[in-house]
Amino acid sequence: MRDVQPSEGPVVFLPGMNCSSRMWEPVIARLEAQGVTRELRSESLTGSSIEDCVDGLLERLPDRFAPAGLSLGGIVAMAMVRTAPWRVSRLCLMATNPCAPTPGQLRSWQALRERLTAGASSRQLQEELLPALLAPDTRDALEAMVLDMADEVGDADLASQLMMQSTRVDERAALAKVSVPTMIVAGGRDALCPVATHREMESLVPGSRLTVLPERGHLLTLEDPQGVVAGVESWLRT
């Protein structure tokens, strides 16, 4: 694989809500095995708002980097390129949503925060979401890992991430101004972020490329790491 210029900085992988950096390990391992020498690093999502999370990441990341985010990680990546476009060398968005929250989503996140306060655990809430996170043919193999990731995130950080979700803004106007190589990846069976949402993002970001993994759900990096790697390699060569 042809390497990119060092001035572009590391690829920074951002996980989804209630998921730890382990969700990116299958992708990173395959990229390294295939000879990608560029720095690959993962970061957690912390903060009381999207902007707070972005500020923390920008403070600790190098001057240039390429964010690759899934779900909430993709939302944070969009906010990063909007906030500091001169810092972002490339952009990768997976299984995500550029729209502002709906009233129904806001009510749902508030109810989940209240359940955490009342004693529910991050693992319990993740278990209830499994049918929306994984396609049926991958659920048995991946369920234990997904629940273990929820344990790693923990109740306090999940509560913060739910609050973070409620501070999302409509990123679509900002996406139309993105000028760096952009890859978009969707799962054909994603119940949370459908393909149509990703087609809209592709239409907004000039020169972007959409890859659809037809039989996969929301947690693409676990369900089809090789399919994700193929897209990432193409993205890094652009």
Side-chain angles (χ1 to χ4, degrees), residues 9-14 24 38-43 57 61-62 64-69 77 80 92 235:
V11 179
V12 178
F13 295 104
L14 305 173
W24 287 105
R38 187 170 182 182
E39 181 186 351
L40 309 171
R41 59 190 282 184
S42 57
E43 293 282 344
L57 287 166
L61 289 174
R64 292 274 283 173
F65 58 90
M80 293 172 86
C92 175
W235 171 60

Side-chain angles (χ1 to χ4, degrees), residues 13-16 19-30 68-71 92-95 133-134 142 145-146 149 183 185-187 213 216-229 232:
F13 295 104
L14 305 173
C19 293
S20 70
S21 61
R22 272 211 288 166
M23 72 173 298
W24 287 105
E25 287 180 359
V27 171
I28 293 173
R30 283 169 172 79
L70 185 147
S71 196
C92 175
L93 305 172
M94 299 187 190
L133 295 175
L134 298 168
L142 296 173
M145 179 184 289
V146 173
M149 287 196 299
M183 180 181 72
V185 186
L213 304 178
R216 303 309 178 199
H218 190 63
L219 297 182
L220 299 172
T221 60
L222 301 178
E223 294 182 276
D224 191 357
Q226 193 55 51
V228 170
V229 165
V232 169

Side-chain angles (χ1 to χ4, degrees), residues 53-218:
C53 181
V54 167
D55 287 346
L57 287 166
L58 291 176
E59 184 174 344
R60 63 181 180 265
L61 289 174
D63 290 342
R64 292 274 283 173
F65 58 90
L70 185 147
S71 196
L72 180 58
I75 291 163
V76 170
M78 286 184 273
M80 293 172 86
V81 75
R82 168 175 52 83
T83 302
W86 60 92
R87 301 275 303 272
V88 174
S89 58
R90 294 170 185 266
L91 179 66
C92 175
L93 305 172
M94 299 187 190
T96 193
N97 185 345
C99 300
T102 66
Q105 286 175 318
L106 292 171
R107 289 192 297 270
S108 175
W109 297 327
Q110 176 62 32
L112 291 174
R113 291 199 302 271
E114 291 172 356
R115 289 183 61 192
L116 286 169
T117 300
S121 69
S122 56
R123 184 183 185 91
Q124 179 183 346
L125 298 185
Q126 191 81 316
E127 187 169 17
E128 295 172 5
L129 280 174
L130 283 172
L133 295 175
L134 298 168
D137 61 338
T138 64
R139 179 171 172 180
D140 287 348
L142 296 173
E143 178 176 336
M145 179 184 289
V146 173
L147 296 180
D148 286 347
M149 287 196 299
D151 287 337
E152 291 165 4
V153 172
D155 302 347
D157 280 353
L158 175 57
S160 295
Q161 290 175 1
L162 288 163
M163 181 65 73
M164 198 185 301
Q165 289 273 26
S166 69
T167 68
R168 286 162 40 184
V169 300
D170 192 328
E171 298 285 1
R172 288 174 291 184
L175 285 179
K177 300 176 183 177
V178 172
S179 60
V180 297
T182 300
M183 180 181 72
I184 301 167
V185 186
R189 305 186 72 175
D190 190 340
L192 296 176
C193 299
V195 173
T197 299
H198 297 80
R199 294 199 190 283
E200 181 182 16
M201 287 191 286
E202 181 189 27
S203 72
L204 290 169
V205 181
S208 62
R209 297 166 59 185
L210 170 64
T211 296
V212 178
L213 304 178
E215 300 302 317
R216 303 309 178 199
H218 190 63

